[in-house]
């Protein structure tokens, strides 16, 4: 039997891996499929500086383009760099500075979603 693939999950895991490689912190992948029909996964991470958040966003975009032949439908917040949102349709990548992540608290807002253990997780997935 062929292995079933989930392109959205693969994209979320790719983004999480790249964020870890670019030293993002507190990486969480939320499975939203049972909560909403709008998107399948959120990838949430914290960056330590504007420069690092740009590096994470740039590398996610580059790697997803190269490995998955996909482009974000929209990217918001890049210039301000408090909360960068990369919309890939079924997957939305949220890159926060620490203060904005605590303020918006997406994990609590989407508490009905399940956290997904992902290869980049180590001890970050619950």
């Amino acid at each position: 039997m062929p292995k079933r693939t989930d392109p959205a999950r693969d994209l979320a895991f790719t983004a999480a891996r790249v964020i870890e490689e670019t030293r993002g912190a507190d990486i969480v992948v939320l499975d939203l499929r049972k909560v909403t029909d709008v998107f399948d996964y959120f990838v949430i991470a914290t960056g330590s500086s504007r420069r690092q958040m740009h590096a994470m966003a740039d590398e996610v975009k580059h790697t997803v383009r190269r490995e998955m032949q996909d482009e974000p439908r929209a990217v918001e917040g890049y210039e301000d760099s408090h909360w960068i949102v990369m919309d890939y349709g079924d997957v939305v990548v949220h890159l926060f500075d620490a203060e904005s992540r605590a303020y918006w608290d997406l994990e609590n807002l989407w508490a009905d979603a399940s956290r997904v253990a992902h290869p980049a997780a180590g001890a970050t997935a619950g």
Side-chain angles (χ1 to χ4, degrees):
M1 175 180 259
K3 186 176 180 181
R4 229 174 80 196
T5 62
D6 179 350
R9 181 174 176 252
D10 294 344
L11 195 152
F13 284 5
T14 297
R17 182 191 84 227
V18 170
I19 292 165
E20 181 191 44
E21 290 169 356
T22 52
R23 300 181 185 226
D26 302 321
I27 305 163
V28 174
V29 175
L30 296 179
D31 182 344
L32 299 160
R33 293 174 298 173
K34 293 181 181 175
V35 180
T36 181
D37 292 332
V38 180
F39 18 71
D40 293 348
Y41 295 94
F42 275 178
V43 180
I44 305 168
T46 304
S48 60
S49 68
R50 176 187 175 145
R51 174 184 247 172
Q52 192 221 4
M53 289 176 66
H54 282 190
M56 290 188 299
D58 294 345
E59 194 58 29
V60 166
K61 185 176 179 182
H62 174 75
T63 301
V64 169
R65 177 187 300 135
R66 186 182 71 242
E67 294 181 8
M68 310 189 82
Q69 295 72 51
D70 203 348
E71 295 283 339
R73 278 50 164 185
V75 176
E76 298 291 334
Y78 189 87
E79 291 306 315
D80 292 336
S81 300
H82 298 290
W83 179 6
I84 300 173
V85 178
M86 305 176 75
D87 179 359
Y88 282 94
D90 292 336
V91 177
V92 180
V93 178
H94 300 270
L95 306 173
F96 288 100
D97 64 18
E99 184 179 322
S100 296
R101 183 163 181 179
Y103 178 81
W104 292 104
D105 195 13
L106 290 186
E107 293 97 327
N108 189 45
L109 184 64
W110 292 93
D112 291 342
S114 29
R115 287 184 181 215
V116 179
H118 54 90
T124 61

